[in-house]
């Protein structure tokens, strides 16, 4: 088995006295593609935000690459983990274009001193192409449809060149064609680059082809953690 | 008007209008883009209370204004971040406290009311060379910081959560932008006045926001509108023999209305009628 790169031990998070994560322990290995499922309020999003250091733990511990996603190591963890939050609307008058939004993913690792080099520009162009955004690159972000904005956020996370990708319902409310396309891009990255992926999905009838584990959550706890059954995860890696 | 320019006080007013207008316009872009205009009101009133505090204790009012506005910026950020109250509530409470302090000091100030009122309304025609140097210095510093950190400031202003997700120290930049706003408001206080400076921060930036999606152009337009508001206001105040500070603010509001009429952003058909794109096959 490959190295454990994310390790949660008895993680506990509470919102106003109600447990969102209730003693969750989880090990994620490098190169795994894991789907998180469960009803609303099960703690799936909280699990992702806790790994990304957006939600502090009340008890227990989280280590990503051996680092705590808090304090001095928070930024390093965030630079190595790409996070795509649930669908969010953007103000149509906001002064930021699609390309500028995608470039945000690069700024974190470049810092404020290093310029955007030609190879980085080329990588951004390739990602825009891969996600079908090249034609939209000079459009204001807020002018795009919900599905297009979702693709921009995924592109932004990918140009970060993360080792782990956290996706919170990346295909929710998208049409079947766009959903399949997004899944195939992520599956490809998992296969080719060994990108570790944690997907939160409500989509009950299909799993990404790369899916190796399906974790079901309920009331802040992991109820099952198993390989997907053959019917649901056709085409997955052995 | 050209012959009037031989008077030093008018030269000073024009220079103060240039540096103060540009400074307020630029920091206004931060607030308008972050949709945090109310925060500007709060910082302006904190600066006003701080300046009065300086007058009361007999030290430089501008130092007091900077101290209080930085303090307000330092309190507002964490208060709204912790989420115990909504940002609007925490800013509203701080705003009322600052207003209370300002009026309390005005009430107990022995014989200092004319100076206090001058801080309230502003006195661009009596601004000193020293005040102008301070305005120019702070503007130069702000421009330098913008050049160094432009891309981070841009993404934090547009979407702080996304910037944070990408590993940018978004809170640091956010607090830095609030502090820059605080200092800009504080140093503009003697010329524009505690009651009016907020409008000069918001109106030019809001006018520029109507006209462009380009963040660089937005900053330049806001600075230009800030300067234009000050100069137009000065000119009209001479023509109509009216208080300069009030006419400057009305000029900035006029520019905002004109920008709204010309705004391409107010023609939704332009952005709704977009072409659909799909993945490359």
């Amino acid at each position: 088995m490959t190295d454990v790169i994310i390790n949660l031990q008895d993680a506990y998070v509470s919102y106003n006295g109600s447990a969102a994560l209730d003693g969750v322990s989880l090990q994620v290995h490098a190169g795994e593609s894991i789907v998180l499922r469960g009803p609303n309020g099960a703690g799936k999003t909280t699990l992702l935000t806790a790994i990304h250091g957006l939600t502090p733990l009340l008890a227990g511990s989280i280590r990503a690459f051996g680092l705590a996603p808090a304090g001095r190591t928070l930024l390093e963890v965030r630079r190595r983990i790409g996070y795509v939050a649930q669908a969010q609307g953007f103000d149509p008058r906001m002064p930021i274009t699609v390309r500028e939004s995608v470039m945000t993913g690069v700024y974190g690792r470049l810092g404020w001193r290093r310029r955007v080099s030609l190879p980085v520009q080329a990588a951004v162009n390739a990602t825009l192409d891969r996600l079908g955004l090249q034609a939209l690159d000079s459009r204001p972000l807020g002018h795009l449809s919900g599905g297009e904005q979702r693709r921009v956020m995924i592109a932004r996370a990918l140009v970060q060149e993360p080792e782990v990708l956290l996706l919170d319902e990346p295909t929710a409310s998208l049409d079947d064609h766009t959903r399949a396309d997004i899944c195939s891009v992520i599956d490809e990255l998992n296969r080719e680059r060994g990108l570790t992926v944690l997907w939160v999905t409500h989509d009950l009838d299909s799993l990404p082809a790369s899916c190796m584990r399906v974790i079901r959550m309920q009331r802040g706890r992991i109820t099952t953690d198993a390989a997907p059954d053959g019917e649901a995860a056709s085409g997955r890696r052995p | 008007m050209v012959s009037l320019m031989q008077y030093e006080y008018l030269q000073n007013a024009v220079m103060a209008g240039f540096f103060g207008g540009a400074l307020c316009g630029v920091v206004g872009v931060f607030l308008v883009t972050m949709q945090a205009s109310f925060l500007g009101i709060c910082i302006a009133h904190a600066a006003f209370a701080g300046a009065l505090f300086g007058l009361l204790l007999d030290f430089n009012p501008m130092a007091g204004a900077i101290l209080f506005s930085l303090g307000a910026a330092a309190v507002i950020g964490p208060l709204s971040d912790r989420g115990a109250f909504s940002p609007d509530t925490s800013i509203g409470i701080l705003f009322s406290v600052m207003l209370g302090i300002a009026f309390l000091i005005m009430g107990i100030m022995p014989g200092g009311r004319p100076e206090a009122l001058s801080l309230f309304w502003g006195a661009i025609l009596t601004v000193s060379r020293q005040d102008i140097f301070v305005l120019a210095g702070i503007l130069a510093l702000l421009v330098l910081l913008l050049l160094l950190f432009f891309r981070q400031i841009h993404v934090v202003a547009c979407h702080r959560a996304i910037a944070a997700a990408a590993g940018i120290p978004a809170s640091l930049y956010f607090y830095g932008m609030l502090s820059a706003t605080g200092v800009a408001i504080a140093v503009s206080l003697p010329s524009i006045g505690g009651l009016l400076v907020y409008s000069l921060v918001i109106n030019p930036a809001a006018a520029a926001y109507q006209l462009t999606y380009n963040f660089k152009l937005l900053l330049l337009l806001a600075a230009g509108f800030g300067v234009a508001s000050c100069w137009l206001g000065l000119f009209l105040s001479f023509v109509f023999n009216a208080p300069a500070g009030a006419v400057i603010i009305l000029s900035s509001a006029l520019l905002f209305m004109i920008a709204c009429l010309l705004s391409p952003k107010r023609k939704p058909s332009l952005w709704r009628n977009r072409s659909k794109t799909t993945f490359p096959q």
Side-chain angles (χ1 to χ4, degrees), chain A residues 78-79 90-91 93-95 100 104 111 114 129 139 143, chain B residues 35 151-152 154-155 158-159 164 167 213 265 271 274 277 280:
Chain A
R78 284 193 180 160
R79 284 167 191 158
F90 293 97
D91 177 5
R93 295 173 182 85
M94 200 163 63
E100 287 166 341
T104 307
R114 283 162 60 197
D129 257 343
R139 301 283 289 273
H143 289 198
Chain B
Q35 300 183 343
R151 55 196 192 193
Q152 284 83 358
H154 180 196
V155 293
C158 286
H159 212 302
Y213 294 103
K265 298 186 180 185
W271 47 268
R274 59 182 181 271
T277 58

PDB file of all heavy atoms in Angstrom, chain A residues 78-79 90-91 93-95 100 104 111 114 129 139 143, chain B residues 35 151-152 154-155 158-159 164 167 213 265 271 274 277 280:
ATOM      1  N   ARG A  78      -2.472  24.147   2.136  1.00  0.00           N
ATOM      2  CA  ARG A  78      -3.436  24.629   1.143  1.00  0.00           C
ATOM      3  C   ARG A  78      -2.837  24.681  -0.254  1.00  0.00           C
ATOM      4  O   ARG A  78      -3.531  24.496  -1.241  1.00  0.00           O
ATOM      5  CB  ARG A  78      -3.943  26.018   1.538  1.00  0.00           C
ATOM      6  CG  ARG A  78      -4.942  25.937   2.658  1.00  0.00           C
ATOM      7  CD  ARG A  78      -5.650  27.241   2.831  1.00  0.00           C
ATOM      8  NE  ARG A  78      -6.617  27.137   3.914  1.00  0.00           N
ATOM      9  CZ  ARG A  78      -7.121  28.169   4.555  1.00  0.00           C
ATOM     10  NH1 ARG A  78      -6.756  29.385   4.237  1.00  0.00           N
ATOM     11  NH2 ARG A  78      -7.994  27.992   5.516  1.00  0.00           N
ATOM     12  N   ARG A  79      -1.548  24.976  -0.342  1.00  0.00           N
ATOM     13  CA  ARG A  79      -0.914  25.029  -1.668  1.00  0.00           C
ATOM     14  C   ARG A  79      -0.786  23.643  -2.283  1.00  0.00           C
ATOM     15  O   ARG A  79      -0.726  23.499  -3.488  1.00  0.00           O
ATOM     16  CB  ARG A  79       0.471  25.695  -1.563  1.00  0.00           C
ATOM     17  CG  ARG A  79       0.358  27.193  -1.419  1.00  0.00           C
ATOM     18  CD  ARG A  79       1.665  27.828  -1.015  1.00  0.00           C
ATOM     19  NE  ARG A  79       1.425  29.224  -0.641  1.00  0.00           N
ATOM     20  CZ  ARG A  79       2.221  29.942   0.131  1.00  0.00           C
ATOM     21  NH1 ARG A  79       3.338  29.418   0.605  1.00  0.00           N
ATOM     22  NH2 ARG A  79       1.933  31.185   0.414  1.00  0.00           N
ATOM     23  N   PHE A  90     -21.316  34.068  -8.583  1.00  0.00           N
ATOM     24  CA  PHE A  90     -20.397  35.193  -8.556  1.00  0.00           C
ATOM     25  C   PHE A  90     -21.115  36.433  -9.060  1.00  0.00           C
ATOM     26  O   PHE A  90     -21.911  36.344  -9.996  1.00  0.00           O
ATOM     27  CB  PHE A  90     -19.171  34.909  -9.433  1.00  0.00           C
ATOM     28  CG  PHE A  90     -18.317  33.798  -8.896  1.00  0.00           C
ATOM     29  CD1 PHE A  90     -18.442  32.507  -9.380  1.00  0.00           C
ATOM     30  CD2 PHE A  90     -17.403  34.035  -7.877  1.00  0.00           C
ATOM     31  CE1 PHE A  90     -17.667  31.480  -8.881  1.00  0.00           C
ATOM     32  CE2 PHE A  90     -16.633  32.999  -7.372  1.00  0.00           C
ATOM     33  CZ  PHE A  90     -16.760  31.727  -7.868  1.00  0.00           C
ATOM     34  N   ASP A  91     -20.819  37.563  -8.447  1.00  0.00           N
ATOM     35  CA  ASP A  91     -21.415  38.831  -8.847  1.00  0.00           C
ATOM     36  C   ASP A  91     -21.072  39.110 -10.315  1.00  0.00           C
ATOM     37  O   ASP A  91     -19.899  39.147 -10.682  1.00  0.00           O
ATOM     38  CB  ASP A  91     -20.844  39.937  -7.943  1.00  0.00           C
ATOM     39  CG  ASP A  91     -21.360  41.312  -8.325  1.00  0.00           C
ATOM     40  OD1 ASP A  91     -22.227  41.398  -9.212  1.00  0.00           O
ATOM     41  OD2 ASP A  91     -20.890  42.300  -7.729  1.00  0.00           O
ATOM     42  N   ARG A  93     -20.936  41.684 -11.869  1.00  0.00           N
ATOM     43  CA  ARG A  93     -20.195  42.936 -12.081  1.00  0.00           C
ATOM     44  C   ARG A  93     -18.777  42.866 -11.539  1.00  0.00           C
ATOM     45  O   ARG A  93     -18.032  43.831 -11.590  1.00  0.00           O
ATOM     46  CB  ARG A  93     -20.943  44.103 -11.427  1.00  0.00           C
ATOM     47  CG  ARG A  93     -22.275  44.364 -12.076  1.00  0.00           C
ATOM     48  CD  ARG A  93     -23.123  45.395 -11.353  1.00  0.00           C
ATOM     49  NE  ARG A  93     -24.406  45.535 -12.036  1.00  0.00           N
ATOM     50  CZ  ARG A  93     -25.451  44.757 -11.814  1.00  0.00           C
ATOM     51  NH1 ARG A  93     -25.386  43.802 -10.929  1.00  0.00           N
ATOM     52  NH2 ARG A  93     -26.573  44.921 -12.485  1.00  0.00           N
ATOM     53  N   MET A  94     -18.397  41.719 -11.001  1.00  0.00           N
ATOM     54  CA  MET A  94     -17.084  41.590 -10.358  1.00  0.00           C
ATOM     55  C   MET A  94     -15.951  41.753 -11.391  1.00  0.00           C
ATOM     56  O   MET A  94     -15.992  41.128 -12.445  1.00  0.00           O
ATOM     57  CB  MET A  94     -16.981  40.228  -9.683  1.00  0.00           C
ATOM     58  CG  MET A  94     -15.920  40.151  -8.626  1.00  0.00           C
ATOM     59  SD  MET A  94     -16.185  38.729  -7.561  1.00  0.00           S
ATOM     60  CE  MET A  94     -16.009  37.381  -8.685  1.00  0.00           C
ATOM     61  N   PRO A  95     -14.943  42.582 -11.073  1.00  0.00           N
ATOM     62  CA  PRO A  95     -13.908  42.860 -12.074  1.00  0.00           C
ATOM     63  C   PRO A  95     -12.824  41.784 -12.117  1.00  0.00           C
ATOM     64  O   PRO A  95     -11.668  42.034 -11.776  1.00  0.00           O
ATOM     65  CB  PRO A  95     -13.341  44.206 -11.606  1.00  0.00           C
ATOM     66  CG  PRO A  95     -13.522  44.192 -10.132  1.00  0.00           C
ATOM     67  CD  PRO A  95     -14.757  43.384  -9.852  1.00  0.00           C
ATOM     68  N   GLU A 100      -8.021  35.347 -15.194  1.00  0.00           N
ATOM     69  CA  GLU A 100      -7.510  35.853 -13.910  1.00  0.00           C
ATOM     70  C   GLU A 100      -7.952  34.952 -12.755  1.00  0.00           C
ATOM     71  O   GLU A 100      -7.184  34.721 -11.821  1.00  0.00           O
ATOM     72  CB  GLU A 100      -7.995  37.295 -13.682  1.00  0.00           C
ATOM     73  CG  GLU A 100      -7.297  38.312 -14.576  1.00  0.00           C
ATOM     74  CD  GLU A 100      -8.001  39.667 -14.599  1.00  0.00           C
ATOM     75  OE1 GLU A 100      -9.198  39.742 -14.228  1.00  0.00           O
ATOM     76  OE2 GLU A 100      -7.365  40.640 -15.027  1.00  0.00           O
ATOM     77  N   THR A 104      -5.399  32.486 -10.224  1.00  0.00           N
ATOM     78  CA  THR A 104      -5.354  32.529  -8.750  1.00  0.00           C
ATOM     79  C   THR A 104      -4.683  31.272  -8.199  1.00  0.00           C
ATOM     80  O   THR A 104      -3.954  31.328  -7.214  1.00  0.00           O
ATOM     81  CB  THR A 104      -6.792  32.619  -8.175  1.00  0.00           C
ATOM     82  OG1 THR A 104      -7.447  33.708  -8.788  1.00  0.00           O
ATOM     83  CG2 THR A 104      -6.768  32.816  -6.681  1.00  0.00           C
ATOM     84  N   GLY A 111       3.923  32.953  -4.778  1.00  0.00           N
ATOM     85  CA  GLY A 111       4.171  34.031  -3.818  1.00  0.00           C
ATOM     86  C   GLY A 111       4.091  35.375  -4.525  1.00  0.00           C
ATOM     87  O   GLY A 111       3.625  35.466  -5.656  1.00  0.00           O
ATOM     88  N   ARG A 114       7.790  36.044  -7.322  1.00  0.00           N
ATOM     89  CA  ARG A 114       8.077  35.364  -8.591  1.00  0.00           C
ATOM     90  C   ARG A 114       7.056  35.722  -9.661  1.00  0.00           C
ATOM     91  O   ARG A 114       5.859  35.763  -9.399  1.00  0.00           O
ATOM     92  CB  ARG A 114       8.126  33.859  -8.359  1.00  0.00           C
ATOM     93  CG  ARG A 114       9.453  33.440  -7.706  1.00  0.00           C
ATOM     94  CD  ARG A 114       9.370  32.088  -7.073  1.00  0.00           C
ATOM     95  NE  ARG A 114       9.040  31.043  -8.021  1.00  0.00           N
ATOM     96  CZ  ARG A 114       8.591  29.846  -7.666  1.00  0.00           C
ATOM     97  NH1 ARG A 114       8.402  29.565  -6.391  1.00  0.00           N
ATOM     98  NH2 ARG A 114       8.319  28.938  -8.569  1.00  0.00           N
ATOM     99  N   ASP A 129      -7.747  24.881 -21.996  1.00  0.00           N
ATOM    100  CA  ASP A 129      -8.133  24.078 -23.162  1.00  0.00           C
ATOM    101  C   ASP A 129      -8.821  22.793 -22.737  1.00  0.00           C
ATOM    102  O   ASP A 129      -9.863  22.415 -23.273  1.00  0.00           O
ATOM    103  CB  ASP A 129      -6.866  23.695 -23.950  1.00  0.00           C
ATOM    104  CG  ASP A 129      -6.710  24.560 -25.190  1.00  0.00           C
ATOM    105  OD1 ASP A 129      -7.714  25.190 -25.572  1.00  0.00           O
ATOM    106  OD2 ASP A 129      -5.599  24.602 -25.750  1.00  0.00           O
ATOM    107  N   ARG A 139     -13.624  36.593 -20.609  1.00  0.00           N
ATOM    108  CA  ARG A 139     -14.964  36.987 -20.134  1.00  0.00           C
ATOM    109  C   ARG A 139     -14.956  37.189 -18.625  1.00  0.00           C
ATOM    110  O   ARG A 139     -14.255  36.480 -17.898  1.00  0.00           O
ATOM    111  CB  ARG A 139     -15.976  35.873 -20.456  1.00  0.00           C
ATOM    112  CG  ARG A 139     -16.079  35.543 -21.927  1.00  0.00           C
ATOM    113  CD  ARG A 139     -16.888  36.574 -22.681  1.00  0.00           C
ATOM    114  NE  ARG A 139     -18.291  36.490 -22.349  1.00  0.00           N
ATOM    115  CZ  ARG A 139     -19.140  35.678 -22.981  1.00  0.00           C
ATOM    116  NH1 ARG A 139     -18.724  34.907 -23.945  1.00  0.00           N
ATOM    117  NH2 ARG A 139     -20.415  35.674 -22.655  1.00  0.00           N
ATOM    118  N   HIS A 143     -20.209  36.429 -15.602  1.00  0.00           N
ATOM    119  CA  HIS A 143     -21.095  36.329 -16.759  1.00  0.00           C
ATOM    120  C   HIS A 143     -21.325  34.891 -17.204  1.00  0.00           C
ATOM    121  O   HIS A 143     -22.126  34.638 -18.099  1.00  0.00           O
ATOM    122  CB  HIS A 143     -20.504  37.098 -17.951  1.00  0.00           C
ATOM    123  CG  HIS A 143     -20.558  38.579 -17.773  1.00  0.00           C
ATOM    124  ND1 HIS A 143     -20.425  39.466 -18.801  1.00  0.00           N
ATOM    125  CD2 HIS A 143     -20.723  39.327 -16.662  1.00  0.00           C
ATOM    126  CE1 HIS A 143     -20.507  40.698 -18.339  1.00  0.00           C
ATOM    127  NE2 HIS A 143     -20.683  40.636 -17.039  1.00  0.00           N
TER     128      HIS A 143
ATOM    129  N   GLN B  35     -17.454  44.615  -1.514  1.00  0.00           N
ATOM    130  CA  GLN B  35     -18.830  44.882  -1.084  1.00  0.00           C
ATOM    131  C   GLN B  35     -18.867  45.160   0.409  1.00  0.00           C
ATOM    132  O   GLN B  35     -19.664  44.585   1.161  1.00  0.00           O
ATOM    133  CB  GLN B  35     -19.747  43.717  -1.464  1.00  0.00           C
ATOM    134  CG  GLN B  35     -19.745  43.497  -2.974  1.00  0.00           C
ATOM    135  CD  GLN B  35     -20.664  42.412  -3.452  1.00  0.00           C
ATOM    136  OE1 GLN B  35     -21.093  41.584  -2.667  1.00  0.00           O
ATOM    137  NE2 GLN B  35     -20.975  42.402  -4.726  1.00  0.00           N
ATOM    138  N   ARG B 151      -1.485  41.312  -7.915  1.00  0.00           N
ATOM    139  CA  ARG B 151      -2.302  40.134  -8.233  1.00  0.00           C
ATOM    140  C   ARG B 151      -2.984  39.556  -6.987  1.00  0.00           C
ATOM    141  O   ARG B 151      -4.127  39.114  -7.052  1.00  0.00           O
ATOM    142  CB  ARG B 151      -1.474  39.082  -8.970  1.00  0.00           C
ATOM    143  CG  ARG B 151      -0.228  38.646  -8.264  1.00  0.00           C
ATOM    144  CD  ARG B 151       0.723  37.927  -9.211  1.00  0.00           C
ATOM    145  NE  ARG B 151       1.792  37.273  -8.463  1.00  0.00           N
ATOM    146  CZ  ARG B 151       2.880  36.783  -9.014  1.00  0.00           C
ATOM    147  NH1 ARG B 151       3.066  36.871 -10.309  1.00  0.00           N
ATOM    148  NH2 ARG B 151       3.791  36.200  -8.279  1.00  0.00           N
ATOM    149  N   GLN B 152      -2.270  39.589  -5.855  1.00  0.00           N
ATOM    150  CA  GLN B 152      -2.889  39.081  -4.625  1.00  0.00           C
ATOM    151  C   GLN B 152      -4.036  40.002  -4.170  1.00  0.00           C
ATOM    152  O   GLN B 152      -5.115  39.530  -3.779  1.00  0.00           O
ATOM    153  CB  GLN B 152      -1.857  38.967  -3.498  1.00  0.00           C
ATOM    154  CG  GLN B 152      -0.926  37.776  -3.632  1.00  0.00           C
ATOM    155  CD  GLN B 152       0.247  38.032  -4.555  1.00  0.00           C
ATOM    156  OE1 GLN B 152       0.379  39.088  -5.155  1.00  0.00           O
ATOM    157  NE2 GLN B 152       1.139  37.053  -4.680  1.00  0.00           N
ATOM    158  N   HIS B 154      -5.807  41.898  -6.004  1.00  0.00           N
ATOM    159  CA  HIS B 154      -6.914  41.737  -6.952  1.00  0.00           C
ATOM    160  C   HIS B 154      -7.801  40.543  -6.573  1.00  0.00           C
ATOM    161  O   HIS B 154      -9.016  40.677  -6.425  1.00  0.00           O
ATOM    162  CB  HIS B 154      -6.326  41.554  -8.360  1.00  0.00           C
ATOM    163  CG  HIS B 154      -7.356  41.378  -9.430  1.00  0.00           C
ATOM    164  ND1 HIS B 154      -7.047  40.890 -10.673  1.00  0.00           N
ATOM    165  CD2 HIS B 154      -8.694  41.601  -9.445  1.00  0.00           C
ATOM    166  CE1 HIS B 154      -8.142  40.842 -11.403  1.00  0.00           C
ATOM    167  NE2 HIS B 154      -9.153  41.255 -10.684  1.00  0.00           N
ATOM    168  N   VAL B 155      -7.179  39.373  -6.357  1.00  0.00           N
ATOM    169  CA  VAL B 155      -8.010  38.189  -6.102  1.00  0.00           C
ATOM    170  C   VAL B 155      -8.640  38.235  -4.705  1.00  0.00           C
ATOM    171  O   VAL B 155      -9.772  37.781  -4.528  1.00  0.00           O
ATOM    172  CB  VAL B 155      -7.249  36.854  -6.316  1.00  0.00           C
ATOM    173  CG1 VAL B 155      -6.903  36.679  -7.774  1.00  0.00           C
ATOM    174  CG2 VAL B 155      -6.012  36.744  -5.468  1.00  0.00           C
ATOM    175  N   CYS B 158     -11.618  40.487  -4.962  1.00  0.00           N
ATOM    176  CA  CYS B 158     -12.733  39.889  -5.706  1.00  0.00           C
ATOM    177  C   CYS B 158     -13.329  38.687  -4.991  1.00  0.00           C
ATOM    178  O   CYS B 158     -14.544  38.524  -4.963  1.00  0.00           O
ATOM    179  CB  CYS B 158     -12.273  39.458  -7.098  1.00  0.00           C
ATOM    180  SG  CYS B 158     -12.043  40.835  -8.196  1.00  0.00           S
ATOM    181  N   HIS B 159     -12.470  37.825  -4.441  1.00  0.00           N
ATOM    182  CA  HIS B 159     -13.011  36.634  -3.784  1.00  0.00           C
ATOM    183  C   HIS B 159     -12.012  36.095  -2.775  1.00  0.00           C
ATOM    184  O   HIS B 159     -11.125  35.318  -3.116  1.00  0.00           O
ATOM    185  CB  HIS B 159     -13.370  35.576  -4.812  1.00  0.00           C
ATOM    186  CG  HIS B 159     -14.534  34.749  -4.375  1.00  0.00           C
ATOM    187  ND1 HIS B 159     -14.525  34.034  -3.195  1.00  0.00           N
ATOM    188  CD2 HIS B 159     -15.737  34.544  -4.935  1.00  0.00           C
ATOM    189  CE1 HIS B 159     -15.677  33.419  -3.070  1.00  0.00           C
ATOM    190  NE2 HIS B 159     -16.436  33.705  -4.093  1.00  0.00           N
ATOM    191  N   ALA B 164      -7.891  32.306  -0.492  1.00  0.00           N
ATOM    192  CA  ALA B 164      -7.435  31.499   0.652  1.00  0.00           C
ATOM    193  C   ALA B 164      -7.292  30.037   0.253  1.00  0.00           C
ATOM    194  O   ALA B 164      -6.321  29.365   0.626  1.00  0.00           O
ATOM    195  CB  ALA B 164      -8.411  31.635   1.818  1.00  0.00           C
ATOM    196  N   GLY B 167      -4.059  29.046  -1.287  1.00  0.00           N
ATOM    197  CA  GLY B 167      -2.839  29.139  -0.473  1.00  0.00           C
ATOM    198  C   GLY B 167      -2.277  30.552  -0.387  1.00  0.00           C
ATOM    199  O   GLY B 167      -1.133  30.756  -0.003  1.00  0.00           O
ATOM    200  N   TYR B 213     -14.588  46.034 -16.253  1.00  0.00           N
ATOM    201  CA  TYR B 213     -14.334  44.747 -15.588  1.00  0.00           C
ATOM    202  C   TYR B 213     -12.840  44.547 -15.359  1.00  0.00           C
ATOM    203  O   TYR B 213     -12.436  43.515 -14.841  1.00  0.00           O
ATOM    204  CB  TYR B 213     -14.847  43.597 -16.473  1.00  0.00           C
ATOM    205  CG  TYR B 213     -16.345  43.581 -16.632  1.00  0.00           C
ATOM    206  CD1 TYR B 213     -16.952  44.040 -17.789  1.00  0.00           C
ATOM    207  CD2 TYR B 213     -17.159  43.110 -15.614  1.00  0.00           C
ATOM    208  CE1 TYR B 213     -18.325  44.032 -17.935  1.00  0.00           C
ATOM    209  CE2 TYR B 213     -18.533  43.099 -15.752  1.00  0.00           C
ATOM    210  CZ  TYR B 213     -19.112  43.559 -16.909  1.00  0.00           C
ATOM    211  OH  TYR B 213     -20.477  43.546 -17.037  1.00  0.00           O
ATOM    212  N   LYS B 265     -22.482  47.682 -17.624  1.00  0.00           N
ATOM    213  CA  LYS B 265     -22.908  46.634 -16.688  1.00  0.00           C
ATOM    214  C   LYS B 265     -24.398  46.719 -16.394  1.00  0.00           C
ATOM    215  O   LYS B 265     -24.968  45.828 -15.791  1.00  0.00           O
ATOM    216  CB  LYS B 265     -22.122  46.743 -15.382  1.00  0.00           C
ATOM    217  CG  LYS B 265     -20.630  46.541 -15.559  1.00  0.00           C
ATOM    218  CD  LYS B 265     -19.917  46.522 -14.230  1.00  0.00           C
ATOM    219  CE  LYS B 265     -18.430  46.322 -14.405  1.00  0.00           C
ATOM    220  NZ  LYS B 265     -17.720  46.195 -13.149  1.00  0.00           N
ATOM    221  N   TRP B 271     -24.516  40.656 -21.212  1.00  0.00           N
ATOM    222  CA  TRP B 271     -23.848  39.497 -20.641  1.00  0.00           C
ATOM    223  C   TRP B 271     -24.730  38.267 -20.558  1.00  0.00           C
ATOM    224  O   TRP B 271     -24.243  37.168 -20.405  1.00  0.00           O
ATOM    225  CB  TRP B 271     -23.176  39.820 -19.304  1.00  0.00           C
ATOM    226  CG  TRP B 271     -23.964  40.586 -18.291  1.00  0.00           C
ATOM    227  CD1 TRP B 271     -23.979  41.923 -18.133  1.00  0.00           C
ATOM    228  CD2 TRP B 271     -24.816  40.054 -17.276  1.00  0.00           C
ATOM    229  NE1 TRP B 271     -24.801  42.282 -17.092  1.00  0.00           N
ATOM    230  CE2 TRP B 271     -25.314  41.162 -16.538  1.00  0.00           C
ATOM    231  CE3 TRP B 271     -25.198  38.762 -16.924  1.00  0.00           C
ATOM    232  CZ2 TRP B 271     -26.176  41.006 -15.470  1.00  0.00           C
ATOM    233  CZ3 TRP B 271     -26.069  38.614 -15.849  1.00  0.00           C
ATOM    234  CH2 TRP B 271     -26.544  39.730 -15.147  1.00  0.00           C
ATOM    235  N   ARG B 274     -24.758  35.313 -24.023  1.00  0.00           N
ATOM    236  CA  ARG B 274     -23.425  34.777 -24.265  1.00  0.00           C
ATOM    237  C   ARG B 274     -23.528  33.488 -25.078  1.00  0.00           C
ATOM    238  O   ARG B 274     -24.554  32.819 -25.093  1.00  0.00           O
ATOM    239  CB  ARG B 274     -22.724  34.492 -22.946  1.00  0.00           C
ATOM    240  CG  ARG B 274     -23.518  33.516 -22.124  1.00  0.00           C
ATOM    241  CD  ARG B 274     -22.863  33.263 -20.801  1.00  0.00           C
ATOM    242  NE  ARG B 274     -23.663  32.302 -20.093  1.00  0.00           N
ATOM    243  CZ  ARG B 274     -24.661  32.633 -19.297  1.00  0.00           C
ATOM    244  NH1 ARG B 274     -24.958  33.888 -19.089  1.00  0.00           N
ATOM    245  NH2 ARG B 274     -25.361  31.702 -18.705  1.00  0.00           N
ATOM    246  N   THR B 277     -20.484  27.279 -24.493  1.00  0.00           N
ATOM    247  CA  THR B 277     -19.274  26.559 -24.889  1.00  0.00           C
ATOM    248  C   THR B 277     -19.346  25.156 -24.303  1.00  0.00           C
ATOM    249  O   THR B 277     -20.029  24.916 -23.317  1.00  0.00           O
ATOM    250  CB  THR B 277     -18.017  27.223 -24.330  1.00  0.00           C
ATOM    251  OG1 THR B 277     -18.144  27.261 -22.930  1.00  0.00           O
ATOM    252  CG2 THR B 277     -17.831  28.605 -24.886  1.00  0.00           C
ATOM    253  N   PRO B 280     -13.807  20.473 -25.355  1.00  0.00           N
ATOM    254  CA  PRO B 280     -13.265  20.089 -26.657  1.00  0.00           C
ATOM    255  C   PRO B 280     -13.509  18.603 -26.871  1.00  0.00           C
ATOM    256  O   PRO B 280     -13.353  17.810 -25.939  1.00  0.00           O
ATOM    257  CB  PRO B 280     -11.771  20.393 -26.529  1.00  0.00           C
ATOM    258  CG  PRO B 280     -11.503  20.486 -25.070  1.00  0.00           C
ATOM    259  CD  PRO B 280     -12.771  20.862 -24.405  1.00  0.00           C
TER     260      PRO B 280
END
